[in-house]
Amino acid sequence: MPKKVDHAARREEIVQAALRLCARDGLAGVTIGQVAEEAGVSKGLVQHYFAGKADLLRASAQILRAEIERHVREAVRGARGPADTLRCVLIAIVELGVTAVVPLLAGHAFVSMAVADPEIRALYRAGGDAVHREIAALVAASGAAPNVDAGAEAHALLGLARGLADGVLLGELGVDDAVAIVDHHLRRILPEVATGSDTPSSRRVSE
Amino acid sequence: MPKKVDHAARREEIVQAALRLCARDGLAGVTIGQVAEEAGVSKGLVQHYFAGKADLLRASAQILRAEIERHVREAVRGARGPADTLRCVLIAIVELGVTAVVPLLAGHAFVSMAVADPEIRALYRAGGDAVHREIAALVAASGAAPNVDAGAEAHALLGLARGLADGVLLGELGVDDAVAIVDHHLRRILPEVATGSDTPSSRRVSE
DNA sequence: CTCTTGGCAGTACGATCGTATTGCATTGCT
DNA sequence: AGCAATGCAATACGATCGTACTGCCAAGAG
């Protein structure tokens, strides 16, 4: 057998280049040639690792999901209790607007691509449902007021976080504003939530 | 002078075809040739009315904004008082997920395009700011509780509505669920808001 | 050592895109 | 009626994209 190479790692390298390109030049700027150049490899190599452009895009959408999930999971590390975890998750989503612009921006592009590609659409649905379930579980475990339905509240919080992330992304409001809004809402549905900058989990984002 | 033709109307026809195409096949499916075919005109005519593809896309983004604004303004017709108006606006945004899929979907595509095009980005910023100002004014005029900041609350409501619209668009939740969530939130910040299906402004959406 | 197999680059090719150009029909003005 | 300008279609062309194909280099097995 010839050279041993980490197949998955090479694929990820190329995909990262594609995502970078997507965030910089938009989805239209993502071509096999440009991706190869951005990744510092040859056009042929991209072909070697991906069956075609569609395959590359699918893999990109998948890795993009994983990237965002990694960001969020990293943010909840050190959170104490379900309420704090919930807060960290929401704030992490909001902060994607500045800390993970590339995945977020690429995500928008892929939403518009999910229209034509059932496979990508399915990926989004599955991912979105999973997130919703987790948030709903956190809401339920946080000891929310009895008059709030966990599922509905999860939709609301997730929607709020996503919308705020877009607002931050477009520069309509600052991260701290968005965080304050999230806290404000959490304070309304949860008995008690660690808020403000006194908790170790609310690290300040360098803007 | 030759034939008299409504220049703006022709441009809009072509743009509508482009938006339809964008929502159906994604942004990648929008080509001059495809747009011409969708609009039932010749490729040359598209050139006649638009200086280039970029011009077409800019005009599309602009008309898209107008389209969404039209939807919302139509929804607030008949609303009584600022609180009811606010509710109608938010619900109208949420309902874009089913009543105006084309503009909403195309909107996502344009967000991802705004990355590379400063002109489109400026258009989005201006539009978003205007909406925020209007909503903030409505919040203030609705007699919100004194402990809520109109500006922040407007960001929250707008973010919530946008996020819910995306959720509806992706099929994660139904319109009625989203409307209920909006009502639930409004009930928390406003002294009294006409809610439920007893008000004429909460027309049922055919799903 | 050498042979084989996979990593990788380079080139070639057909399709398609955006744009420039050309030509004709139609309409309003004089 | 005739001229001029515009609406509109059709074609042509260069650039670029995605993909197929070919060939070389390196590394592990026998």
Side-chain angles (χ1 to χ4, degrees):
Chain A
M1 274 183 200
K3 234 187 306 191
K4 159 193 120 58
V5 147
D6 191 337
H7 206 79
R10 271 265 188 273
R11 275 177 67 100
E12 170 130 10
E13 279 178 37
I14 296 174
V15 161
Q16 291 293 348
L19 292 180
R20 235 175 300 135
L21 225 44
C22 182
R24 169 154 24 100
D25 307 327
L27 192 50
V30 180
T31 70
I32 302 286
Q34 294 288 328
V35 168
E37 188 179 350
E38 173 75 22
V41 298
S42 76
K43 208 169 141 188
L45 191 67
V46 178
Q47 292 185 265
H48 187 74
Y49 283 99
F50 298 93
K53 192 180 183 182
D55 187 26
L56 206 181
L57 263 11
R58 311 269 178 81
S60 299
Q62 214 150 351
I63 288 191
L64 176 141
R65 271 243 156 252
E67 189 91 357
I68 291 183
E69 188 173 330
R70 195 180 55 79
H71 264 271
V72 174
R73 297 219 178 274
E74 189 174 324
V76 300
R77 186 177 310 169
R80 291 160 330 222
D84 194 30
T85 303
L86 177 60
R87 191 180 106 94
C88 288
V89 168
L90 295 177
I91 290 182
I93 294 178
V94 163
E95 286 178 348
L96 289 176
V98 293
T99 61
V101 184
V102 170
L104 192 57
L105 230 26
H108 270 284
F110 280 107
V111 167
S112 83
M113 192 163 38
V115 184
D117 193 322
E119 205 160 322
I120 294 184
R121 194 164 55 234
L123 179 69
Y124 262 76
R125 279 294 303 271
D129 287 352
V131 170
H132 173 256
R133 265 193 302 274
E134 289 203 36
I135 291 188
L138 285 175
V139 170
S142 300
N147 65 325
V148 307
D149 174 50
E153 199 60 50
H155 274 134
L157 289 174
L158 187 53
L160 177 65
R162 284 204 293 205
L164 287 179
D166 282 348
V168 170
L169 177 71
L170 295 175
E172 296 174 359
L173 74 167
V175 206
D176 34 10
D177 301 323
V179 169
I181 291 173
V182 168
D183 276 334
H184 188 234
H185 273 253
L186 283 179
R187 222 174 290 124
R188 282 201 282 231
I189 63 166
L190 296 186
E192 205 161 292
V193 58
T195 165
S197 50
D198 48 44
T199 137
S201 53
S202 88
R203 55 197 166 72
R204 188 57 171 218
V205 157
S206 59
E207 190 170 5
Chain B
M1 277 182 207
K3 234 189 305 194
K4 158 195 120 63
V5 144
D6 190 338
H7 207 78
R10 271 265 188 269
R11 273 177 70 99
E12 170 130 10
E13 280 178 35
I14 296 174
V15 161
Q16 291 293 349
L19 292 181
R20 234 174 301 134
L21 224 43
C22 183
R24 170 158 19 102
D25 307 329
L27 193 52
V30 179
T31 70
I32 303 286
Q34 293 288 327
V35 169
E37 189 178 349
E38 173 75 23
V41 299
S42 78
K43 204 170 143 187
L45 191 67
V46 178
Q47 292 186 265
H48 187 73
Y49 282 100
F50 298 93
K53 192 181 183 182
D55 187 27
L56 205 181
L57 264 9
R58 310 269 177 82
S60 299
Q62 215 149 349
I63 289 190
L64 178 142
R65 272 243 158 254
E67 187 91 358
I68 291 183
E69 187 172 332
R70 196 179 55 78
H71 265 272
V72 174
R73 296 220 179 273
E74 188 175 325
V76 300
R77 186 176 310 167
R80 294 160 327 222
D84 194 30
T85 302
L86 177 60
R87 190 179 106 95
C88 288
V89 167
L90 295 177
I91 290 182
I93 294 178
V94 163
E95 286 178 347
L96 289 177
V98 293
T99 62
V101 184
V102 171
L104 191 58
L105 231 26
H108 271 284
F110 280 107
V111 167
S112 83
M113 192 162 40
V115 185
D117 193 322
E119 205 160 321
I120 293 184
R121 194 164 55 234
L123 179 67
Y124 262 76
R125 278 295 303 271
D129 286 354
V131 170
H132 174 255
R133 266 193 303 274
E134 289 202 37
I135 291 189
L138 284 175
V139 169
S142 298
N147 65 325
V148 307
D149 173 50
E153 199 62 49
H155 272 134
L157 289 174
L158 187 54
L160 177 65
R162 283 204 293 205
L164 288 179
D166 282 349
V168 170
L169 177 70
L170 295 175
E172 295 174 358
L173 74 166
V175 205
D176 33 9
D177 300 325
V179 169
I181 291 174
V182 168
D183 276 332
H184 189 235
H185 273 253
L186 284 178
R187 222 174 290 127
R188 282 201 282 231
I189 62 166
L190 296 186
E192 205 160 295
V193 58
T195 164
S197 50
D198 48 45
T199 139
S201 54
S202 89
R203 56 197 165 72
R204 187 58 170 220
V205 156
S206 60
E207 193 174 2

